[in-house]
Every structure is written in structure tokens, then in C-alpha cells.
Amino acid sequence: MGYPHPPHPRETVLLSQYFGDPEARSLAGWRQRGGYRALEQALAMEPTAVTTIVKDSGLRGRGGAGFPTGTKWSFMKPGDGKAHYLCCNADESEPGTFKDREIMRWTPHALVEGCAIAAYAIGAETVYIYIRGEFTEPLQRMTEAVREAYAAGLLGPGAMGGKARIDVRIHKGAGAYICGEETALMNSIEGRRGNPRIKPPFPATAGLFGMPTTINNVETLAAVPHIITQGAAWYKAMCLSSPKSPGTKLFSVCGNVRRPGNYEVVLGFPFEEFLYDLCGGPPAGRKFKAIIPGGASVPIQTMDEVRATKMDYEGFVAGGSMLGSGGVICIDDAQCMVKQIGRLARFFAHESCAQCTQCREGTSWTTKIVERIEAGQGTPDDLDTLLEIADNMTGKTICVLSDSCAVPVVSGIQKFRDEFDAHIQGHRCPFRVAAAAA
Amino acid sequence: MSVPPPGSLTQLERAAAFDPALPDAYEPLFVGERRVALDEVLTRYPTRMAALLPALWMVQEARGWVSEAAMAEVAEVLHVTPAYVKGVVTFYTMYHQRPVGRHFVQVCTTSPCNVCGAEDVVRAFLTHTGSGEIGATSPDGRFTVIEVECLGACGFATPIMIDEDVIEGVTAAQVPEIIARYP
Amino acid sequence: MITLTIEGRQVSVPEGTSILEAGKAAGILIPHYCYHPGLPVAGVCRMCLVEVEKSPKLAPACATAAADGQVVHVHSESALEARQGVLELLLINHPLDCPVCDQSGECELQDYTYAEGRRSTRYREPKRVNPVEDFGGDVVYVPNRCILCTRCVRFMETVAEDPVLNVSDRGDHALIGKFENQDLTHPWAGNVVELCPVGALLSKDFLNKARSWDMDRAASVCPGCSQGCNIVIETRDNVVARLRPRPNADVNQYFMCDEGRLNYRWLNRRDRVAEPLVRRGDALIPVDWEIAIDAAARTLTGRRVTAIVSPGLSNEVLYLLRRVLERCGAESEGVFAVRQGPEAPLPGVPDLAVRADRAPNVQGAELMGFRRTDAPLDAVRSGDVLLLADADLSAAGAAVVSGALARAADIIVIGTTVPAWAAGAGAALPLANMAEDEGTFTNLRGRVQRYRQAKSPPALARPGWSVLADLLVALGDPIVVWTPAEAFSALAQAHPAFAGMTYEGLGATGTVVADAREPRAVTAGIGA
Ligand SMILES: Cc1cc2nc3c(=O)[nH]c(=O)nc-3n(C[C@H](O)[C@H](O)[C@H](O)COP(=O)(O)O)c2cc1C
Ligand code: SF4
Ligand code: SF4
Ligand code: FES
Ligand code: FES
């Protein structure tokens, strides 16, 4: 994958081929590397033909939900006299995930090209790329790439010499995880609080500024040019396990692991080999205690649970978790799970937009209880209370942030109950005691 | 609150921020070049309200924070109410609602970084900058240090942000040297 | 129309109706907080979750369209558990200070918790506390009781179109905020107090005045202006304690203006004329009703009368007054003046405004043949009997008053007070005020609306319709009126605009007169 270390031979570098290659950043450099041929090819086709190729490729959304991209595009009905929008979700804030950041840092034109193709396919005149405010370098790289693309006539009226007008705008976020939720993102672009909206109406009917809108993740859109140039069949054939999950995927690996970073593998790759061969396994002298395979919102797993997992949408679900955003968080045996579960809950409490009762109050209450247990002040009934609050917080709110907070708590208590019990019975954190002794 | 830090603020703003009797000291921001820049931003969106986040960013770039007086000006320029602007400002954590130190340090302590020792990095910053407490500004007005949720750089634990710079793989030991780079 | 089943009851509703509204149509209350029929749907409190058969998740009834054949359960185990969950979470940071809270007894948090909530809390952490804040206008905000339903914010934003409230901050720090020096001063802002389902927004005027269960309530019509907003008058120990809006889709939806809401103290005036009076030498002395009526009748018989009437009197009273004038001498006439005030619309509701005419029955007075004038005292001709029917002439200058007094040969007062300048009256007949009586007003769109009695009149004061019926009999009119309904029916029989109306038939929301005028625009964007 290139940065910060050279690609592992077992990786399949498609999106990450030029990570670490500063020359790929400029328009000229990108063109030398085959850039914008896909856009040219797409513009020569009927928009619906572009959508059909993407549909046939089997590409699924890389933002977390895994919705088939071509199908999503086909919900758009251009020519209805309305404005149409494409939003590119570059809010990347799911703890454990840092792949979109690298795409934008190293290959900004890949994203511009993907956006332009998608916009053409769905009939969107304007694309907003919503980049989280903390991404200062990606913001700068993307701004420069867009500027170059306008200057070269790739964007704007008569984009690339074609008939279509495609405008790409960069919108800088200002610190809110929830703006990664698609309708919250739209509110944020509109200059509102980043509150998720109740659905229906769905974005394809009434999205940004009340107009038909499609939203895609950075990685999803960056994959599109490859599909256009190399064909749906080629993409669909890249598959190691479930035929419903073709293509390559960037996995962000972090936490207690020897070689953290982004790894691009064909979906269906064996997870254990991934963790040990590619990522180097746990730090010296340690063991993996817990793996959160798809960003902070998916169930925590033990190493035993993930051993046989195939890395695709179906594989992670079969293993009892989810692929999510592809952020693999490794936690070794020196860590206190109670503390980390409390920390995750605190994250969600901090990020709750505050609309829904269960989420606003439940995330904070959960955090307080887990942190109290960690501090040695827990009681045995706290765990039942936590599970009941989690149940209250699941499946009842406008968006799934509430559910996401319940997920680590429920899976954590299920799988690391002994650690909770040790805190409650011992009235202190055994890991803190061990650390103090060391 | 501690003494207003130097830098980033105009003399008048500092006075206005700490002496509510001086609200008239506010100098409008959206005049001249900045107004032209905002007008350009407005062309990118079909509504005026959509320019709110960019406008607030312009305020923060110019003044280092977003005062109530600035919120009122933004409201006027974008044809919304000050209360509306305040509701938005308070939603997003990156807008400073009070003056901060000359350098604003954000250390990620979310789980992926937390398990890699991020809390030690926070402690090192609090100690070596002299700010002592999360969110407080060091007595010399140089640093304000906060914990931040996931910066989207988890593979490079511990990432920190100082002002606009992201520094990856920071350890507690490197903190004094990093601080020295930000006079 | 689509048909669905809610709690086993079939109900047909128009397409697009929410499950929550369909429930109402079926007579089933689906507990809710953030939903309010007068506001855009927010779907945030998650209290209205119901079980819809064949649907994997509970559905928010306020934000889910009813569908044909749907089977909805409100009281199933999963829906009940969800509500209990919401209630528990809404209470974890709540101060549980019902004993000192004005909302107690009419609080939806209290009601639902009592009905369905847990008996005790499991919350053992410190509670979030925030100071009480003065929101300006008549409103204080008690954030610790706020459930963040955002009704207040939505009202100010989309109905008042004056977004001075916001949701500030996020996570469990979130609360309702405003900007310094930008207060809830919109003329309709006080409605947020009504809309708030809990005790988080309170009226300063009503603060600590009465417990809701100690009050009596009567459906009424606001006497503040010619809009005729439907209201409830709430009294405690025969004293009006507050006015609140009562829904009427055709007049005021769910709202009333602040001026109307706070303009009730005159209903509690203590300086009333409480006994019938007649002149004996220099003084007005209390007498029996018969004697006073007789004295008034003798003064009026055969004389040219100028009646100055109040446009705050009921249709029935004005009608009977008109009949009185017909029994008097030739060229008798009746006039009235209307106090004026600035108009202030509620932008989100069509044709709703505080009207410039600050009286409830201007239309009625006109329909009964009274002449509107800015200078009613100038109508008094030399040698007239001045019949003063509760008109407020306090705005008239001293010279105008003394001129009229000099021209009037006699004065008869029928009203709630005897103004100082009318102390020379030959007789005064004390009336109940509008809160002490019942009757009808005709609003500016010709809607005839009933108001009910909310308190009892002082001492011997009597309802106007009854006093005037007696006076008519004394003047030789064969009229028989024993009840307000009979007074109304006498009017309906006599007046073509009221033809066919019955007192009962007016119901809770009124009927429009036969020749009602078209709405006229009051302000740009309103009306029509
Ligand atoms: C709380 C929450 C946070 C999310 N954050 C992100 C994010 O940071 N980036 C992203 O691409 N998708 C995020 N999503 C998913 C988006 O809502 C949406 O499904 C996605 O952007 C669609 O693009 P895709 O179809 O290309 O995956 C988030 C969803 C939720 C509920
Ligand atoms: S679940 Fe949480 S984050 Fe999502 S809309 Fe509700 S309150 Fe906001
Ligand atoms: S103050 Fe009342 S109406 Fe406003 S959000 Fe809070 S509970 Fe709802
Ligand atoms: S958790 Fe620290 S950057 Fe993501
Ligand atoms: S009433 Fe439906 S969510 Fe609040």
C-alpha cells in the first residue's frame, strides 16, 4: 500500500497503488499514470450505460453500509427539471478508519475523477465533497486538485469537452462525527446543525437542498474509474469468497498491532492471515485480546472468533460482526477492556447530535456507568442496567449512532464479562494495579 | 477564565471578550477583501445559509475564535438570526467559542490511539506547555491543549493537531521537542 | 382513504395521515412529546414508537404514514417497553421537582410516567444541572426540566418566523438557547409556554400562582380583539388566573397572542358596580332590581336616546339593546367606538393576527345596527338620554366629555362600572362581565362563537341579556327570555344574518353568519 511502508506482496493495489508517490498528486502526474481516461470513456457513453457498468461490477458502498452503488445511482431520475446533487462523503470519523484520508492525500485526482464520472452517470450538476475539518492536508490536496481540474477544463461547463456541466465544490466540516451520516452531512452543507433527518424521504427523492441527491463514500467513488477502464467483469471477478462482495477494499489497521496502516486486499481475504502475515500480528510479547473489525460501531470480537473470518460483507457478518468502514482496531492483552469500552461509549456520547432521547441520554448514562465500573465503583446490577439501556438504545432512533454505542457495550460485556466482574468485585481496575506494580 | 492570550485576537476583541460593557468595540469582518471572498463562497451554494460553515471558518481564521459579536455579524450577512448561528456554532466542536492560546493542541485519545498510549501524550502536553488542565490556556498564552475524538489517523498513533498541522506517531518523549517548534 | 387497524379498531383516514393522527381518529392516544399538530414533524423524542405488524422495527407514529391494511399495536409489550425506556431516560437528569413546578398536574412527563413509567430510577450518577434563564417576554426557561422536544424552537422558527430560540451544544449538554439581547418578544411568543409539554418553559405572569388542579376552566373566546381566538379561562377561587388558547382550526389553530393572553386582569376588577343604583337627590343609592329597571324604563320611554355601546358586549345583549332603542323615542340611535392597537400577524397561520380592532364583537355591533365612530360622545344631541352600555370612554378628552354631559338631559348606565364622570346618572344597572356571563361574539370573519361562564359576578350584578330582557318588558315589549339560549334564538329569529342558527348548534368552534365578509388582507402575506 505504499505509505508508510511498501505494499505487502499479498495486497492487490488498485486504489493504493500510488500512496507515497508525491508525483501522483498533480494533474500531470495523474495523467501520466492513466488518470482521466476513465472520465473520457464515461463521457462518451450514455449516462445510464455508466450506471449499468457500475451495477454489473458488483461495487458496494465503502462507507459502512455496503449498499450496491450502481443500484443507488439508478434511483436518480435526471431530466425532472430539478437540480441534482452528488455528495462525496469524506467525513471519515469512524474510530479506526483512515483510508479516505490517504486517498485524498496521495491521489486526489482519483477522487475528482470518480466524482465526475458519478455525477455524469446520475445527472448531477454539482458535487459537494464534504471533508472533515480536521483533515487539513486532504483539504489542501483536494482543493488543489479541483483547481487544476477546472483549469484544465475537466470540470465546469462543458466538462472535458462534453455537453455536461459538472461542478465540484469542497465543503469543510467543523468537527462532528455525525456529519458522516448521509442526511446529517446534507444538513451540514446547508449550513445547519448536523442532525440526521427522518427518512423517508430518502435522499434520492429529497436530499441536499431538498433535491434528488446521491451520496457515496470516497473509496467507493475512487474505485469507479478502475471499473470504467477495466470493465465490470474484471472487477466482479476479483473475489475470494462471497460473490456478492467483489473488488478490492482498503482496510485501515490500527491499535496494538505491529504494522499499522492501510492494506488493500481483494474482498474475501482470510482475516487471520491478514492480521498476522500482512499486519505483523500483535506487538512483541503480546497477544490479540480483542479485534474490532469494522470501525468502532461494529461488535467487538475475540481473536478466536475472527480466526476463520473471510474479509467481506458476508464473512464478517457470519463471524458475528460487520465489515463496516473497514477500520480494524486491534487490542492486545495489556489493555483493560472496561476502560476501552468506556472510551468508545464516551466517543458516541460526545458525538450524539442530541435529537433522540435514547441516544442523547443513553450514550451519556452508559459512559458514566462504564467509567464508574472502571474506577472500581461498580455494582453487580450495573451490568444488567447497561444491557437494558443498550436494548433501549437499539433500533429506536433516527440514525444508528445510538445503536453503535450499544454495540461495544453489549458485545464487550458478553465477551469480556470476567474483566467487568473483576472490576466490580475487586473495586479497582486490575490493569491499573498491574501497571502500577510494573 | 484566565487572562486573555495574546496573538490571534485584536486588542479590541480581547477587551470586548472580557468586558461585556464594551460590545461596540467589535470591528466588522466581512468588509473589503473578506467580503469579496464570502461573496465568492456564496456562488457555490444555492442558498445563503449554506455559506454559514465557510463564513464561520473565515471568522475563526481572522480572529482565532468566534465571538458572539462575530456570530451576530455572520447572521446579518447571511440573513439568519444570531440565535440560529449560535445553535450551529455550538454544534461543531472546531469553532472556538472563547479565545484559545496562540497554538491550539488537539490530542486524539479515542480507543485506537488510547491503547497506544495517547493519554501519556496528553499528560506530557499539559505538563510541558504549562497549561495544566484540559481546555485551559498556558499562563504565557502560548498553548491550549484539548483531547479530541478520532482524528482519522488512527494508524499513526498518536496523531496530534497543532493549529493546522497534523503530526503523526507522537510519543510522550517527543513532546518537548514538538512544543519548541511552536513559539 | 385508507383503512388500517390500531389496537384492534379499524379506522379510515385520508392518505398521508400519520399513524399518530389515525390513532386520534380511532380514539386512541399514542403517547408523544415532540409531535404537535401545529408544528412540522421532528420525530425526535421517540416516545410515539408503535409496533406495526410485518415491520422489523418499531415505527415512530408521528413520522410514519398510515398505510392500507396496516395493523398497529400501541400497547404491545415491545411498544410499552420502548416508552418506558424513553421515560426512564427523560427522567435521569430531571430534578423530579414536581412539588414546586407550575406544570405539575398538566405535565405530559408526569402523566405518562404515572401511567406507564418505572416505579423507581436506576440512575445513580450525578445529574446535569443548568441555571434557570429568563428568555424575555413572559417566558422563563428551566433547562433541568427540558426534554429537548424542540417544539419551542420549531414554533419560533416556522410559525412565528422569528427564530430566536435554538438548540445549543450537542450530546447530553444540549439545551435550548437564545442569543443575548434577543428575547422572546415576538407578539405570539408566549405560545411556547403552552407548547412545552413539561415545566421547562413557564409564564412569568403565572409563576407560582396556582396549581393546575385547583383551577376551574371554562371554554371562552378572547375578548382582546376582533380575531376571536378560542381560549380557556382558568380561575382559582373565582379569580381569573390565566388565559390559554383553545384549538379552533378556523380561527386560531392552537394559538393566542401574548397581549390577549395577559389581558385578563380587568376581569378581576374590584371597583365594580355590584348593585342596582338609582338617583336620590345628589347620590346614587342601592335599590332592588325592579326599582332600578323601572327607573331606567321611565327615563327612556318616549325619549330620544343616544346609546354608546361597548363592542365587547355579546351579540344577544347588543340585539336586546337595539330592541330597547326601538322602544324609545324617534331618532334614537346607537354608536360605538373601537380601541385601536397595532396589528401583529402570526405568519405561520393564515389569517391569524392580533387585529387593530381591540374588541371582540365589532362585527356583531355593526350587524345589530350600531354606528361605528371615533367620537361617540359627539353623537349625543341636546336633550338626549345618554344610555351608556359598558362603553369605555376613558380615552375621550375632558372637553369632549363635558360637552356631551352638558347636552345630555339624562344618563342611564348599564355596565360593569360607573365612570366617575357619569356619576350624575339617573340609574345604573350592574352587569356581569364576559367571564361572568355567557353569550356569543361575532369575529371579523363573521364567525359567531360562544363563550361560557368562568366565574360568578359580584353581588347583585346580572347577565346583560337578563337585565335587558327585564328592561324590555318594562318598556312594554312582549319578549320572553329566560336563558341565554332564548336570547340567542330571539336574535336568530329576528336577524337575517343569524337565520337558522341555534345556540347549541354553534358548538365549540362557531358558525359563520350568512353574509360574512370575505377575509381581507391585514398585512402583506396574510389573509386571503
Ligand atoms: C453515525 C454514522 C456515521 C457515518 N460516518 C460515515 C463516514 O464518516 N464516512 C462515510 O463514508 N460514511 C459514513 N456513514 C455512512 C453514510 O451514512 C452513508 O451510508 C455512506 O456515506 C454512503 O456511501 P457508500 O454507499 O458509498 O458507502 C456513517 C453512517 C452513520 C450512521
Ligand atoms: S441516534 Fe443519536 S446521533 Fe442519530 S439522530 Fe438520534 S440523537 Fe442524533
Ligand atoms: S423547553 Fe419545552 S418545548 Fe422547548 S425543547 Fe424543552 S421541553 Fe420542549
Ligand atoms: S482514534 Fe486516534 S486518530 Fe482515530
Ligand atoms: S412524537 Fe413521534 S418522535 Fe416524538
Side-chain angles (χ1 to χ4, degrees):
Chain A
M1 58 123 255
Y3 175 86
H5 43 66
H8 190 279
R10 295 187 67 188
E11 283 187 68
T12 305
V13 287
L14 201 63
L15 306 178
S16 59
Q17 186 176 0
Y18 300 109
F19 284 10
D21 172 1
E23 278 164 30
R25 282 170 173 161
S26 68
L27 178 57
W30 189 244
R31 282 209 139 128
Q32 274 167 16
R33 287 161 185 75
Y36 288 105
R37 260 185 241 143
L39 178 59
E40 206 178 325
Q41 244 174 288
L43 292 177
M45 294 187 243
E46 283 300 312
T48 47
V50 179
T51 302
T52 304
I53 294 180
V54 173
K55 211 187 242 177
D56 291 345
S57 75
L59 175 66
R60 293 170 66 173
R62 304 298 193 221
F67 194 85
T69 305
T71 308
K72 192 187 267 192
W73 291 7
S74 67
F75 296 150
M76 296 290 277
K77 300 279 173 264
D80 53 6
K82 296 182 180 167
H84 302 82
Y85 295 103
L86 171 69
C87 291
C88 169
N89 192 338
D91 190 55
E92 190 164 66
S93 311
E94 178 79 22
T97 318
F98 47 95
K99 61 191 176 66
D100 300 341
R101 174 186 192 250
E102 299 308 296
I103 292 175
M104 292 186 284
R105 280 178 74 196
W106 296 109
T107 59
H109 280 287
L111 182 56
V112 174
E113 187 174 6
C115 285
I117 296 170
Y120 175 73
I122 63 173
E125 303 79 10
T126 310
V127 184
Y128 290 100
I129 306 182
Y130 187 99
I131 306 181
R132 62 179 298 187
E134 295 88 346
F135 275 180
T136 45
E137 189 193 336
L139 272 159
Q140 181 219 323
R141 302 272 177 228
M142 288 306 302
T143 307
E144 176 58 17
V146 168
R147 194 195 58 74
E148 281 184 309
Y150 268 105
L154 299 169
L155 297 174
M160 259 207 133
K163 287 186 296 273
R165 170 177 190 120
I166 303 173
D167 279 313
V168 175
R169 311 290 189 200
I170 307 245
H171 191 90
K172 179 180 179 182
Y177 162 70
I178 192 59
C179 289
E181 195 281 339
E182 55 191 21
T183 53
L185 183 144
M186 291 168 198
N187 275 337
S188 188
I189 294 177
E190 290 179 21
R192 303 172 196 277
R193 293 167 62 86
N195 292 339
R197 302 174 181 170
I198 31 179
K199 289 177 254 184
F202 291 96
T205 318
L208 186 62
F209 301 110
M211 298 297 161
T213 303
T214 290
I215 177 161
N216 278 120
N217 170 257
V218 169
E219 188 186 354
T220 314
L221 291 171
V224 168
H226 297 277
I227 294 170
I228 300 299
T229 49
Q230 308 196 59
W234 162 82
Y235 195 80
K236 200 162 175 57
M238 280 195 290
C239 173
L240 296 175
S241 176
S242 163
K244 286 189 206 150
S245 295
T248 64
K249 167 94 188 81
L250 281 165
F251 288 90
S252 308
V253 183
C254 62
N256 308 126
V257 59
R258 213 172 292 193
R259 282 197 297 275
N262 281 303
Y263 294 86
E264 186 172 12
V265 292
V266 173
L267 284 169
F269 199 89
F271 197 26
E272 186 172 16
E273 289 171 39
F274 178 82
L275 286 173
Y276 285 90
D277 298 353
L278 277 65
C279 310
R286 304 250 65 109
K287 282 189 293 215
F288 285 141
K289 175 155 77 181
I291 302 287
I292 311 179
S297 301
V298 309
I300 306 177
Q301 301 198 282
T302 61
M303 191 56 220
D304 283 341
E305 281 179 293
V306 303
R307 233 174 268 286
T309 298
K310 297 276 189 272
M311 299 173 74
D312 59 22
Y313 296 96
E314 290 71 26
F316 281 110
V317 169
S321 190
M322 281 185 290
L323 183 142
S325 61
V328 180
I329 306 170
C330 307
I331 300 177
D332 73 21
D333 54 355
Q335 306 302 324
C336 169
M337 288 311 290
V338 177
K339 176 172 178 187
Q340 293 313 323
I341 289 162
R343 191 62 192 80
L344 287 173
R346 171 166 289 270
F347 169 80
F348 291 110
H350 184 258
E351 301 300 334
S352 167
C353 83
Q355 290 193 100
C356 310
T357 306
Q358 291 94 334
C359 178
R360 180 182 66 245
E361 306 292 341
T363 52
S364 140
W365 188 10
T366 300
T367 308
K368 288 178 185 170
I369 297 179
V370 180
E371 289 183 351
R372 182 162 51 72
I373 295 174
E374 199 271 335
Q377 303 291 314
T379 58
D381 57 357
D382 279 336
L383 297 186
D384 293 337
T385 307
L386 279 174
L387 291 174
E388 270 183 55
I389 300 170
D391 188 48
N392 254 339
M393 289 168 63
T394 304
K396 302 193 176 66
T397 47
I398 294 179
C399 83
V400 296
L401 186 140
S402 179
D403 308 55
S404 298
C405 180
V407 160
V409 175
V410 173
S411 56
I413 293 178
Q414 265 168 13
K415 292 164 195 180
F416 302 97
R417 178 137 200 155
D418 51 336
E419 289 192 28
F420 281 88
D421 288 341
H423 281 77
I424 292 168
Q425 277 144 29
H427 299 295
R428 58 189 175 181
C429 172
F431 292 88
R432 282 206 216 171
V433 175
Chain B
M1 197 186 288
S2 55
V3 180
S8 61
L9 295 182
T10 67
Q11 203 70 21
L12 284 174
E13 259 195 295
R14 244 176 293 146
F18 291 93
D19 183 358
L22 276 177
D24 295 339
Y26 180 78
E27 274 176 76
L29 272 155
F30 291 99
V31 288
E33 269 177 36
R34 203 172 292 109
R35 181 61 199 232
V36 173
L38 182 68
D39 286 341
E40 193 280 318
V41 167
L42 282 165
T43 64
R44 299 183 213 159
Y45 302 98
T47 66
R48 284 186 89 78
M49 192 194 272
L52 181 49
L53 267 63
L56 292 170
W57 276 122
M58 290 165 96
V59 170
Q60 183 148 313
E61 266 159 40
R63 300 275 158 94
W65 65 299
V66 184
S67 65
E68 298 230 342
M71 292 181 209
E73 190 194 352
V74 169
E76 198 182 311
V77 173
L78 297 182
H79 305 174
V80 293
T81 60
Y84 179 85
V85 173
K86 194 170 178 184
V88 172
V89 169
T90 55
F91 184 89
Y92 296 97
T93 53
M94 292 183 80
Y95 297 126
H96 305 315
Q97 291 164 61
R98 55 183 69 87
V100 295
R102 198 152 65 243
H103 301 296
F104 190 68
V105 182
Q106 310 181 65
V107 183
C108 171
T109 57
T110 311
S111 293
C113 293
N114 201 291
V115 297
C116 297
E119 288 176 359
D120 298 336
V121 179
V122 175
R123 267 191 294 274
F125 269 106
L126 293 178
T127 311
H128 293 289
T129 60
S131 65
E133 212 181 303
I134 302 279
T137 299
S138 58
D140 58 2
R142 213 169 125 202
F143 290 103
T144 305
V145 182
I146 65 155
E147 288 186 33
V148 69
E149 297 296 346
C150 181
L151 286 172
C154 334
F156 318 107
T158 295
I160 65 160
M161 271 186 91
I162 301 192
D163 307 332
E164 298 280 286
D165 306 339
V166 176
I167 307 176
E168 297 171 350
V170 174
T171 60
Q174 295 168 356
V175 168
E177 181 266 319
I178 291 172
I179 287 176
R181 279 189 259 152
Y182 292 85
Chain C
M1 296 294 273
I2 49 169
T3 302
L4 66 161
T5 309
I6 306 182
E7 281 297 299
R9 289 191 210 172
Q10 275 213 346
V11 59
S12 293
V13 293
E15 209 162 321
T17 308
S18 67
I19 294 180
L20 197 143
E21 284 293 340
K24 280 191 197 169
I28 291 155
L29 171 69
I30 300 177
H32 59 274
Y33 288 121
C34 67
Y35 176 76
H36 188 284
L39 302 173
V41 170
V44 294
C45 72
R46 316 307 285 178
M47 183 64 179
C48 66
L49 292 174
V50 292
E51 193 179 327
V52 179
E53 281 186 14
K54 300 203 184 78
S55 165
K57 291 208 289 185
L58 297 175
C62 69
T64 308
D68 215 22
Q70 233 170 17
V71 181
V72 177
H73 302 282
V74 182
H75 297 292
S76 68
E77 200 177 322
S78 64
L80 178 64
E81 266 176 25
R83 283 200 293 278
Q84 285 177 332
V86 170
L87 287 168
E88 180 177 28
L89 290 166
L90 287 177
L91 286 175
I92 60 175
N93 280 302
H94 187 284
L96 306 176
D97 57 348
C98 307
V100 297
C101 176
D102 269 350
Q103 191 84 0
S104 191
E106 53 191 23
C107 172
E108 292 171 39
L109 187 56
Q110 197 180 44
D111 290 348
Y112 290 132
T113 302
Y114 187 73
E116 304 189 320
R118 293 174 58 88
R119 300 261 159 132
S120 60
T121 180
R122 296 178 287 191
Y123 189 72
R124 305 188 356 227
E125 327 303 325
K127 292 198 185 213
R128 168 185 70 219
V129 284
N130 285 300
V132 172
E133 199 178 334
D134 183 350
F135 269 6
D138 183 41
V139 185
V140 281
Y141 177 52
V142 187
N144 297 343
R145 298 183 190 139
C146 175
I147 61 169
L148 234 53
C149 70
T150 71
R151 279 188 191 181
C152 52
V153 180
R154 280 176 283 147
F155 175 79
M156 291 312 294
E157 187 168 313
T158 61
V159 185
E161 295 182 8
D162 180 24
V164 293
L165 295 184
N166 64 28
V167 178
S168 281
D169 226 307
R170 67 181 201 211
D172 83 327
H173 299 292
L175 39 67
I176 301 304
K178 64 182 252 319
F179 205 75
E180 209 179 328
N181 297 328
Q182 309 237 335
D183 287 349
L184 279 179
T185 48
H186 187 277
W188 293 78
N191 287 294
V192 297
V193 172
E194 240 71 59
L195 290 166
C196 182
V198 297
L201 293 174
L202 299 173
S203 158
K204 292 179 199 168
D205 181 75
F206 183 68
L207 208 62
N208 304 337
K209 251 187 147 159
R211 307 304 279 163
S212 71
W213 54 84
D214 284 336
M215 289 191 288
D216 295 310
R217 295 172 174 85
S220 189
V221 174
C222 178
C225 84
S226 57
Q227 175 74 35
C229 291
N230 290 205
I231 64 166
V232 176
I233 298 183
E234 301 195 346
T235 57
R236 186 190 169 196
D237 299 338
N238 211 44
V239 174
V240 177
R242 67 174 168 184
L243 309 183
R244 312 180 78 183
R246 175 168 63 88
N248 184 337
D250 295 317
V251 179
N252 56 311
Q253 284 200 0
Y254 307 90
F255 312 114
M256 74 183 294
C257 78
D258 288 19
E259 181 179 323
R261 182 190 299 268
L262 297 175
N263 179 23
Y264 63 84
R265 286 187 165 73
W266 64 276
L267 294 168
N268 296 331
R269 272 176 81 155
R270 305 293 293 267
D271 59 342
R272 296 275 295 277
V273 47
E275 294 168 299
L277 307 170
V278 295
R279 175 150 306 280
R280 291 281 186 271
D282 277 351
L284 279 167
I285 61 153
V287 292
D288 282 354
W289 266 105
E290 287 78 5
I291 294 169
I293 298 264
D294 218 46
R298 259 182 287 116
T299 308
L300 294 169
T301 305
R303 301 280 296 280
R304 192 178 67 194
V305 177
T306 292
I308 305 181
V309 306
S310 160
L313 292 169
S314 68
N315 290 317
E316 301 79 77
V317 169
L318 290 166
Y319 165 68
L320 296 173
L321 273 166
R322 165 57 48 198
R323 252 172 103 149
V324 165
L325 290 180
E326 281 160 11
R327 292 258 147 201
C328 299
E331 292 175 36
S332 291
E333 72 155 347
V335 296
F336 67 99
V338 187
R339 191 169 63 83
Q340 297 295 294
E343 239 164 15
L346 181 60
V349 180
D351 201 26
L352 177 57
V354 196
R355 306 291 172 172
D357 285 353
R358 294 293 209 266
N361 206 17
V362 176
Q363 198 45 308
E366 276 174 356
L367 284 169
M368 296 313 147
F370 292 93
R371 178 168 62 84
R372 181 173 177 159
T373 167
D374 290 337
L377 283 162
D378 291 356
V380 179
R381 295 148 296 187
S382 205
D384 275 4
V385 177
L386 168 55
L387 176 60
L388 185 65
D390 216 29
D392 173 12
L393 298 171
S394 53
V400 175
V401 172
S402 54
L405 284 178
R407 292 194 298 280
D410 286 289
I411 301 176
I412 302 290
V413 174
I414 302 180
T416 53
T417 55
V418 179
W421 57 264
L429 309 180
L431 297 193
N433 69 28
M434 66 83 60
E436 297 155 357
D437 192 2
E438 61 177 280
T440 65
F441 292 139
T442 308
N443 85 348
L444 84 163
R445 300 284 173 251
R447 181 169 292 269
V448 181
Q449 307 191 96
R450 276 181 69 176
Y451 58 91
R452 265 73 164 177
Q453 184 181 354
K455 65 196 273 266
S456 47
L460 298 182
R462 280 168 54 192
W465 54 268
S466 140
V467 171
L468 287 161
D470 281 1
L471 182 60
L472 278 167
V473 170
L475 288 168
D477 190 306
I479 193 165
V480 181
V481 167
W482 292 110
T483 65
E486 283 171 4
F488 184 80
S489 116
L491 156 64
Q493 275 160 28
H495 201 301
F498 294 78
M501 288 188 198
T502 65
Y503 201 53
E504 285 305 313
L506 296 178
T509 55
T511 307
V512 178
V513 293
D515 57 350
R517 292 185 212 154
E518 284 303 299
R520 47 197 158 124
V522 282
T523 311
I526 305 298

